[in-house]
Each structure stands twice: as structure tokens, then as C-alpha cells.
Amino acid sequence: MNNITKLLFLLLIVSNTAFATLIATVDSKTVELGETVTYSLSISGEKVKKPNIQRLCNSDVLSTSSQTSMQIINGNTSKSYTLSYKFLPQKSCKIERVEVEVDGKIEASSEIEIEVKPVSAAKDLDFTLALSSEKKELFVGEAFDITLTFKQKNDVGAVDSEFTPPELKGLWVKNESEPKRYQEDKYTITKVVYRVAPQRAGELKITKAQMRVASRNSRENSWGAWIPTVKWKTYFSNELDLNVKPLPSGVDLVGNFTIKATVEKKEIKANEALNVIVEVQGEGNLEDIKSFKQNIDTVAVFDEKIVINGAKLTQKIAFVAERDFVVPAFTLNYFDPKTKEIKTISTKEIPIKVENSKATQELVVKKSSIDESVEVKTRSNDEYDKLNYIFIFILGLIIGILTMFFKEKIKFKKNKKSDFTDNQKTFLMKLLPFKDDLEAKEMIEKLEAKIYSNQEINLDKKVLKNIKNKYKIE
């Protein structure tokens, strides 16, 4: 009796399956990590609204295909569709029910469990992929290497391959080496090194890299013959976990550096540009170093863009002055992760001699001599007698009339003679002490661009005259 009951139950299941409108199947319910699974939906009906399936088991669908068939039985026509979705599960999971609209009705498939087993622990796998790092704990901005190693057995042929690099979120990739390939025992090994630096503190995870490999295979067809095929399999690397610590307050650089400053010569002519080369070498986040340009009174300073080549940073800075000056020390503060200390390095000051330099008290001396002359003349006038006073009065009157007559011509010649545009570098140097004033600062920038950058800039003569009068520049 029990056997009859079981038989009836089996026939009932077969009958229900035969007349089911929507059936879900997979080509394998148990796979090894890296193997793909094909999920198929068999749908019977005239009007089918195909579902839009993008992900299965929390994995993206790699490819889709569809097939349509038609049957005519006793004059009745029926249609059936087979929709296939290939995906790559990375852990055991469950494919949820899928709803499909068939002939105006909503049909639902059954759930399917997928078991993903780890890759065999055998030492002679055909392909392996691994990530390794020299550091697991480090500081923000500290550079380090991540090495990706791919091993392929020599006697295994790969028809094709597709590589997916690891996600380096929270890391700045400073450099990626060219693949280095060499032989070791019975394997061909390929290595790629990523030079990276963390951008933020906290726990960072480097995800698995993937190598999808197509290798030659064979299968038996319906006639019992073996035919060559290509089988794809994906190989995963391990993940890396990083613990990134923040830098001490007030420090942006981390690593180990040296600094030096060199000059072409220590004696220059007035208004001649002196080039100073600042070099920083070492391992660390050189890209975070700011310009070394400094402001110096009575000296025009111009900086070029910083250039980084490997572990060396270079910046050229030009100094232009009319009198002797000192190239200041250039300082760099950084955190040394080995000693866990904040270190300060700096260059030495460089005194520069300027030939034909102008004395700083030139105008004061001139004023003093004029005052002394006036005093002498005043004392001399006290000794004049009345006749001399009358003579001087008449002579002064004549000179006054002549002065009023020729006032405009004399003024024009004087202005023309003192036109500072004939010596713009000199005027620029005299204007530098007033660079805190907005109007003077704007004019300084225009003069610097015109003189030292050879930019075509038209200077407004009225503005130049106003600035000259405002700051009493001769």
C-alpha cells in the first residue's frame, strides 16, 4: 500500500511539472568557487513579459540568452520560452522566487539553493592569484607596495583571460609597475606592484582581484562523440585588511626626507634674476608638499611649478633685488613612521652680494644735504644789507614772472625726465615695500608678469602716475 501511495504521489508531481507554466532550473546546485552557474527559466504561454534580471545571489549576471520553441499537437499551437542567465556566485546562497507575467497572469518560480565550495587546497593548482602587502598597519599618506601575483602551470594552456583588478577604495595609486614575468619550477609567474598611499584613517579593505581564464575542454555530444570546447573559470585572490592611523596634529607629511638648496652663483648684478633650486628626496607623500616661495621685503620672488620624479621633488625659485639680500632657509616638517617622531629639516641661509647695489639711505642723505644748504643760505641772508634785499626782491619778481610763463613746459620736461616707465624694474623694486596696499599689489603683479614672464600687458599711465604721487616715488 505504501508503494502505491508513493507511486501516485510521484505521478502527481510529474503531472504538475508537465503542465507548469514557469519552471526554474540550474545546471549545477553545487559548484567550486570560481565556477559559473547557469540559471534557466522555462516559460509556456502565448504572451510572456520577460523579466529584467540583473543580479542573482548578490552577483551580477554575466550573460543572458533566450530560446523560443513552438509545438503543434492535434492542430493546437503552443509556445515555450527558455531564458538563461549565467552568473558567478562567490558564496553559498539562495536564488529567490522570480515572478513572470504569462498570458495576463503572474506566475512565480520556485527558490533554488546554491552551494559554493572553497577551492581545493592542493598545491599544484593550474592557476592561482594572490595579493600581498609589506604593511598591515600604517599612517595616512604613508606609501607602501601591494603585490599581485598570478601563477600558471606551464603544461596548462589558456585560450583567453580577463583580469579584474582589486578595488582600492580609500587609497591613492601613486604608481603601477609593468607586469614582470619569469619562470619558477613548473609555473610561469607574473607580478604587478601597486605603489599606494591611504587617504583616510580607519579600517580599509582591499577586495579580491579576479582572473577569468578560458581553457580547453571537451564534452560528449548527443551522438556519443567527444567534441572540443572552451571552459571559463574565475580565480580569486585573497583580501587585504589595513589599519590606517591618523597623523599627529599639525603635520601633513609622512616618511623620511632630506632637503637641500643650491644657487648658480652668490654674486649678481642689480635686478638680475638669481635661480635657487630646492630639492627634496625620500620615501613619502611628496605630492603633498606645498611651494617653498617666501615673501622678502625689497626682493621680488617668483616660483615655478613643483616637479616630482620618482622619489625626488624639485622646485626652481627666482629672486630679483637691487641690493644685497639673504636667501632664507627652507624648512620641512614631517612624521617619521619608523621612529614615531615629528622631525624638522631645513637648508642653510645663503647670503647674496648684489653689484652696484643702491644704498638704503640714499634719499635721506640727499634730503639732509638740501636742509643743510638751506640753513647756510638762511644764515647768509641775515648778513645782507637792505640794498641787497631790494636787489633780491626785484630779481625774484622777474624770476617769478618767467616761471609762471614757462610753467607748463618745465612741468612737462620734468615729468618726461622722471618717467619711470624707462626703468620699470627700478620702479618695481621701489613699489615692493607698499605691497600690502591693494592698488600697489595689483600694479606689482602686472609689472612682474610684464618684466619676468614676457606677458603683453598695457600699463595705464594715469594709474602709474597716481601711484607714483601717492607713495612719493621718484
Side-chain angles (χ1 to χ4, degrees):
M1 184 66 180
N2 290 334
N3 291 333
I4 296 176
T5 303
K6 290 180 180 179
L7 181 60
L8 291 175
F9 180 71
L10 178 61
L11 290 174
L12 180 62
I13 293 177
V14 173
S15 177
N16 288 337
T17 303
F19 292 100
T21 305
L22 177 61
I23 300 174
T25 58
V26 292
D27 59 346
S28 179
K29 291 186 177 181
T30 302
V31 294
E32 190 177 81
L33 179 63
E35 294 180 341
T36 58
V37 174
T38 301
Y39 175 71
S40 299
L41 292 175
S42 298
I43 309 170
S44 299
E46 290 293 327
K47 295 181 180 180
V48 176
K49 189 175 181 180
K50 297 180 181 179
N52 182 21
I53 300 176
Q54 300 293 332
R55 292 176 63 82
L56 291 169
C57 277
N58 295 321
S59 300
D60 293 334
V61 173
L62 303 176
S63 64
T64 61
S65 63
S66 63
Q67 184 179 359
T68 304
S69 60
M70 184 179 297
Q71 288 183 334
I72 301 176
I73 302 176
N74 297 327
N76 296 322
T77 303
S78 63
K79 288 184 180 180
S80 62
Y81 304 86
T82 301
L83 308 179
S84 299
Y85 306 87
K86 186 174 290 187
F87 66 100
L88 181 66
Q90 297 189 30
K91 60 182 180 180
S92 298
C93 58
K94 179 172 64 176
I95 302 177
E96 302 293 341
R97 291 155 50 98
V98 176
E99 294 184 346
V100 180
E101 184 177 334
V102 182
D103 296 333
K105 296 181 180 180
I106 301 298
E107 302 288 345
S109 67
S110 57
E111 298 177 344
I112 301 179
E113 297 281 349
I114 302 295
E115 181 184 3
V116 179
K117 294 183 177 180
V119 179
S120 172
K123 296 182 180 179
D124 58 347
L125 294 174
D126 293 340
F127 303 94
T128 61
L129 190 64
L131 284 174
S132 60
S133 170
E134 56 185 1
K135 295 182 179 180
K136 295 294 189 297
E137 292 188 358
L138 61 162
F139 292 86
V140 173
E142 182 180 355
F144 70 105
D145 292 335
I146 296 175
T147 303
L148 177 68
T149 304
F150 178 66
K151 297 175 66 175
Q152 176 182 340
K153 193 181 291 186
N154 293 331
D155 57 357
V156 176
V159 179
D160 198 0
S161 63
E162 296 177 357
F163 173 65
T164 303
E167 291 185 3
L168 303 175
K169 292 182 179 180
L171 298 172
W172 182 62
V173 181
K174 304 179 67 174
N175 184 44
E176 179 181 342
S177 71
E178 293 294 329
K180 181 181 178 181
R181 185 170 298 170
Y182 59 94
Q183 297 290 327
E184 186 176 282
D185 297 332
K186 56 184 177 180
Y187 285 95
T188 298
I189 300 176
T190 304
K191 286 189 175 182
V192 177
V193 178
Y194 300 91
R195 188 68 173 173
V196 300
Q199 296 176 312
R200 56 180 174 82
E203 298 293 332
L204 297 181
K205 181 181 288 293
I206 300 176
T207 61
K208 299 176 182 178
Q210 301 179 30
M211 180 68 79
R212 189 165 176 254
V213 180
S215 55
R216 292 182 177 87
N217 199 1
S218 61
R219 65 177 178 84
E220 187 178 8
N221 62 12
S222 57
W223 301 96
W226 291 92
I227 57 176
T229 60
V230 173
K231 181 180 179 181
W232 284 89
K233 184 174 180 178
T234 302
Y235 297 85
F236 295 92
S237 73
N238 55 302
E239 295 181 336
L240 292 178
D241 294 317
L242 303 175
N243 180 22
V244 183
K245 302 176 182 179
L247 289 173
S249 177
V251 181
D252 297 324
L253 302 178
V254 58
N256 190 15
F257 306 97
T258 60
I259 187 172
K260 70 175 182 177
T262 57
V263 296
E264 300 170 331
K265 48 190 175 182
K266 295 186 177 181
E267 291 188 8
I268 60 174
K269 297 179 180 180
N271 295 321
E272 178 186 357
L274 172 72
N275 291 324
V276 179
I277 306 298
V278 182
E279 292 183 358
V280 179
Q281 288 187 314
E283 289 294 326
N285 51 334
L286 293 171
E287 61 282 349
D288 290 329
I289 295 179
K290 306 293 190 300
S291 173
F292 287 99
K293 179 181 178 180
Q294 299 185 26
N295 293 324
I296 307 175
D297 291 339
T298 71
V299 179
V301 184
F302 310 91
D303 61 331
E304 294 187 4
K305 185 178 180 181
I306 288 177
V307 178
I308 299 177
N309 186 8
K312 180 180 178 181
L313 176 147
T314 305
Q315 185 177 31
K316 181 185 290 186
I317 304 175
F319 295 80
V320 181
E322 284 190 330
R323 51 183 64 93
D324 297 350
F325 68 98
V326 175
V327 175
F330 301 101
T331 303
L332 200 66
N333 297 321
Y334 67 92
F335 178 76
D336 189 335
K338 293 182 179 179
T339 62
K340 305 295 189 295
E341 296 176 339
I342 296 177
K343 296 183 178 181
T344 300
I345 55 175
S346 61
T347 63
K348 295 182 179 180
E349 294 183 343
I350 306 175
I352 303 298
K353 179 71 175 178
V354 179
E355 298 177 6
N356 302 322
S357 61
K358 296 183 178 181
T360 57
Q361 300 296 327
E362 180 181 359
L363 295 178
V364 176
V365 173
K366 183 177 180 181
K367 181 177 179 181
S368 176
S369 63
I370 293 174
D371 292 342
E372 183 180 352
S373 176
V374 172
E375 290 178 7
V376 172
K377 288 183 180 180
T378 304
R379 288 195 297 268
S380 297
N381 287 340
D382 291 339
E383 299 174 359
Y384 289 161
D385 55 16
K386 293 181 179 180
L387 183 61
N388 289 334
Y389 277 119
I390 296 172
F391 176 77
I392 293 173
F393 174 77
I394 295 173
L395 182 61
L397 183 62
I398 295 172
I399 293 174
I401 295 172
L402 293 175
T403 301
M404 292 295 295
F405 182 77
F406 294 104
K407 181 178 179 181
E408 294 300 325
K409 291 185 178 181
I410 294 174
K411 184 177 180 180
F412 172 77
K413 291 181 179 180
K414 182 179 179 181
N415 289 340
K416 183 176 182 181
K417 184 178 180 180
S418 61
D419 189 357
F420 49 80
T421 57
D422 293 337
N423 195 346
Q424 294 175 343
K425 290 185 179 180
T426 302
F427 177 70
L428 173 61
M429 301 308 299
K430 292 182 178 181
L431 189 59
L432 284 174
F434 309 102
K435 60 186 177 183
D436 292 335
D437 182 83
L438 184 61
E439 185 179 25
K441 181 181 179 181
E442 183 178 354
M443 182 56 65
I444 289 172
E445 292 176 352
K446 290 183 178 180
L447 286 170
E448 288 178 346
K450 183 177 179 66
I451 296 171
Y452 301 105
S453 300
N454 296 323
Q455 297 184 18
E456 296 183 2
I457 298 177
N458 294 324
L459 302 176
D460 192 328
K461 292 184 178 181
K462 291 184 178 180
V463 176
L464 290 172
K465 181 179 178 182
N466 292 337
I467 292 176
K468 174 191 170 185
N469 294 335
K470 181 179 179 179
Y471 302 108
K472 298 180 181 180
I473 298 175
E474 297 182 355

